[in-house]
Amino acid sequence: MQIYNTLTRRKETFEPLEPGRIRMYVCGMTVYDYCHLGHARVMVAFDVITRYLRARGYDVTYVRNITDIDDKILRRAEENGESIASLTERMIAAMHEDEGRLMVLRPDQEPRATGHIVEIVDMIGSLIDKGYAYAADNGDVYYRVRKFADYGKLNNRDPDEMRAGARVEVDEHKEDPLDFVLWKAAKPGEASWSSPWGEGRPGWHIECSAMSTCCLGETFDIHGGGPDLTFPHHENEIAQSEAATGKLYVNTWMHAGAVRVNQEKMSKSLGNFFTIRDVLEAHDPEVVRYLLVASHYRSPINYAPDSLGEARKSLERFYTALEGVVPQEGAVDVRFDQRFVAAMDDDFNTPEALAALFDLARELNRAKKEAPEQAPALAFELKRLGGVLGLFTQDPSTFLKGGGEALPISEAEIEARIAERAAAKKTKDFATADRIRDELAELGIVLKDSREGTTWVFETPATQDD
């Protein structure tokens, strides 16, 4: 298995620290607002990675943290006139609801920063004892960046270049402008915890160092996160953790690609910012998941109505192949499985894995017509491999009739129009029959005639052919 390591900037043969066991930590959400599409990208990417590693037989311990104390959380709670606990609990519940709808499995452990204050304080104390951190006269504690010889290795940056080219916050309490905060002294009325340096709260970076070490040990296999976290967050995690323990922090660093909206960076200032629940109000969750899975996890994704339309059309091809077949385990051509595994072993190449599944779906369609006895085993294999990607979990007929997307008219009305059309055809009133078919087509209801009668599927305007 080859995995691209952000630290070395190349694909490497993956070998876990312990044979058969993988320990993975992924930076989770700061819970002050609803999760957006960028969060969905990370959620789904590492969900697929976890599912595949387990399908390959590894015992995976997947940890994804929750940042539940942070400047943004303090500000939002004050703006809302609610307690920090009320805000964070509400947002955590919403996050779990969003990921559940996207078929994202819950991590094995979901540590919260406020639950690890003791470990955070202990790690900061160790860094001070070793000369890597210092308590300032304002009650803050800072990390000495220049003390850590390897600072910048994840991002291939030199501290002196960072100092010259970066916008560094001027703080008279710091020894060096590059130093970053480990412990923040509390302002009057703020949430705080006791420490040897006074009442305060942890800085963001130290939270993940302490939680990951506590849950997975001083060195673990994989650390993942979003594309915007390599600097400074992950760079600072490395500096803190390796200085505190004297050991390599992480073997393999993985980062998901960014989400763009109509080829632009997603941001509130551009007015193109979408929460997960915004998107799921209008689209079947599996369609959204497919869009996220269909691109390689390291590649940027462009979110646009057309791209979701294409995602739905692709899923329709799979569900059309599965429709009318009861999956049953049996003998199938092993080349489909081999192609799927080879693709996923190559840095989790989901586009190539899906290409193998499209060929399997074509073989299933052929079998349905020419060798029906082979179809159940092929359908079983398609659902089995698709399940590794978290796909093909719905009833085919339900999905093809609209699934989670709102129909423009009720199913009863559609069936009534189909019956009306059938009656018109019986009396050879083909003009009326064609008019009914065209009127339904304008609504996205596509009729399919066969010897057994007329069935229908719902296609959103974006999925229909020009």
Side-chain angles (χ1 to χ4, degrees):
M1 182 184 295
Q2 298 281 310
I3 299 179
Y4 183 87
N5 188 349
T6 308
L7 180 66
T8 59
R9 289 167 282 283
R10 65 174 182 267
K11 289 182 189 178
E12 298 175 339
T13 300
F14 178 73
E15 294 183 8
L17 293 165
E18 299 176 50
R21 185 185 177 204
I22 295 173
R23 289 170 288 161
M24 179 169 72
Y25 182 93
V26 175
C27 285
M29 274 53 77
T30 301
V31 286
Y32 71 99
D33 205 344
Y34 293 112
C35 295
H36 55 68
L37 278 178
H39 295 137
R41 169 64 153 152
V42 176
M43 285 179 180
V44 171
F46 286 97
D47 179 64
V48 168
I49 288 165
T50 301
R51 286 172 182 262
Y52 181 68
L53 292 173
R54 287 175 175 157
R56 290 283 269 122
Y58 288 105
D59 175 13
V60 180
T61 300
Y62 175 26
V63 178
R64 192 187 67 206
N65 77 291
I66 292 174
T67 297
D68 61 347
I69 186 66
D70 172 87
D71 289 343
K72 293 177 181 177
I73 292 172
L74 295 179
R75 284 196 298 268
R76 184 59 56 85
E78 185 176 357
E79 290 168 4
N80 293 353
E82 65 179 319
S83 69
I84 292 171
S86 171
L87 171 64
T88 56
E89 290 298 332
R90 188 162 55 83
M91 290 299 105
I92 290 168
M95 176 186 72
H96 289 156
E97 180 184 337
D98 290 343
E99 67 181 356
R101 294 185 67 191
L102 288 171
M103 291 298 295
V104 172
L105 302 175
R106 294 279 285 274
D108 298 297
Q109 298 180 50
E110 206 168 44
R112 302 186 186 190
T114 57
H116 290 268
I117 298 297
V118 171
E119 293 89 345
I120 291 169
V121 169
D122 286 347
M123 182 172 276
I124 294 173
S126 173
L127 290 170
I128 291 175
D129 292 342
K130 294 179 179 182
Y132 286 96
Y134 57 95
D137 56 12
N138 64 345
D140 291 348
V141 179
Y142 295 99
Y143 184 92
R144 286 189 175 98
V145 165
R146 295 184 188 277
K147 173 77 173 176
F148 185 69
D150 285 339
Y151 193 82
K153 65 180 178 179
L154 181 64
N155 292 271
N156 197 26
R157 295 186 182 189
D158 179 82
D160 289 322
E161 292 175 1
M162 283 186 266
R163 174 70 183 90
R167 291 181 297 173
V168 179
E169 182 182 354
V170 176
D171 187 333
E172 62 184 12
H173 302 287
K174 294 181 180 181
E175 294 178 353
D176 187 298
L178 287 179
D179 295 349
F180 59 87
V181 69
L182 300 173
W183 185 260
K184 293 185 176 184
K187 296 175 183 176
E190 282 187 343
S192 64
W193 290 262
S194 297
S195 82
W197 320 286
E199 291 289 314
R201 65 181 187 277
W204 176 36
H205 312 302
I206 195 68
E207 294 175 351
C208 282
S209 285
M211 286 186 283
S212 61
T213 300
C214 178
C215 296
L216 298 174
E218 294 178 335
T219 303
F220 53 92
D221 297 288
I222 297 172
H223 194 316
D228 56 334
L229 297 183
T230 58
F231 186 85
H233 186 52
H234 289 162
E235 196 73 66
N236 290 352
E237 275 191 66
I238 291 173
Q240 296 162 160
S241 302
E242 296 188 359
T245 68
K247 299 176 182 177
L248 179 71
Y249 179 38
V250 174
N251 267 7
T252 302
W253 286 87
M254 301 178 68
H255 293 89
V259 174
R260 297 186 176 276
V261 177
N262 292 321
Q263 303 300 340
E264 290 187 306
K265 181 180 179 180
M266 187 175 71
S267 72
K268 290 182 178 178
S269 62
L270 293 174
N272 63 358
F273 183 87
F274 296 96
T275 66
I276 295 173
R277 49 194 50 213
D278 287 337
V279 177
L280 297 187
E281 280 184 9
H283 300 279
D284 185 308
E286 189 173 4
V287 172
V288 179
R289 182 180 177 99
Y290 185 92
L291 175 67
L292 299 173
V293 169
S295 294
H296 191 278
Y297 78 90
R298 286 192 286 116
S299 301
I301 288 179
N302 185 51
Y303 170 78
D306 287 349
S307 55
L308 278 171
E310 288 301 316
R312 180 168 182 91
K313 190 177 289 186
S314 295
L315 275 174
E316 285 173 355
R317 289 171 61 186
F318 287 115
Y319 276 115
T320 298
L322 290 166
E323 189 178 25
V325 182
V326 178
Q328 186 174 344
E329 190 169 5
V332 295
D333 191 330
V334 296
R335 286 179 295 179
F336 295 115
D337 178 82
Q338 290 172 344
R339 282 180 57 196
F340 182 89
V341 169
M344 294 297 287
D345 273 0
D346 182 15
D347 195 30
F348 309 100
N349 192 333
T350 51
E352 285 298 318
L354 285 169
L357 297 190
F358 274 119
D359 286 345
L360 178 53
R362 277 191 283 272
E363 182 65 11
L364 174 55
N365 282 326
R366 182 203 62 77
K368 286 165 70 174
K369 294 178 182 178
E370 301 174 10
E373 71 283 357
Q374 298 174 7
L378 289 166
F380 181 91
E381 184 74 347
L382 182 56
K383 283 184 68 69
R384 182 183 73 83
L385 295 176
V388 175
L389 305 178
L391 300 173
F392 317 149
T393 59
Q394 300 185 57
D395 173 73
S397 296
T398 300
F399 178 85
L400 293 170
K401 288 183 177 180
E405 300 184 50
L407 293 170
I409 58 177
S410 69
E411 291 193 33
E413 290 177 281
I414 296 170
E415 295 297 343
R417 298 305 307 276
I418 290 174
E420 184 183 343
R421 176 172 175 262
K425 289 173 73 175
K426 238 179 203 183
T427 61
K428 300 190 183 303
D429 184 1
F430 297 114
T432 297
D434 290 345
R435 176 177 54 79
I436 293 170
R437 181 198 63 207
D438 294 342
E439 288 173 353
L440 289 173
E442 287 180 8
L443 297 173
I445 311 301
V446 179
L447 303 184
K448 297 184 178 182
D449 295 319
S450 67
R451 292 177 186 176
E452 290 75 29
T454 301
T455 59
W456 59 273
V457 297
F458 173 59
E459 296 182 354
T460 59
T463 69
Q464 298 177 47
D465 292 328
D466 294 333

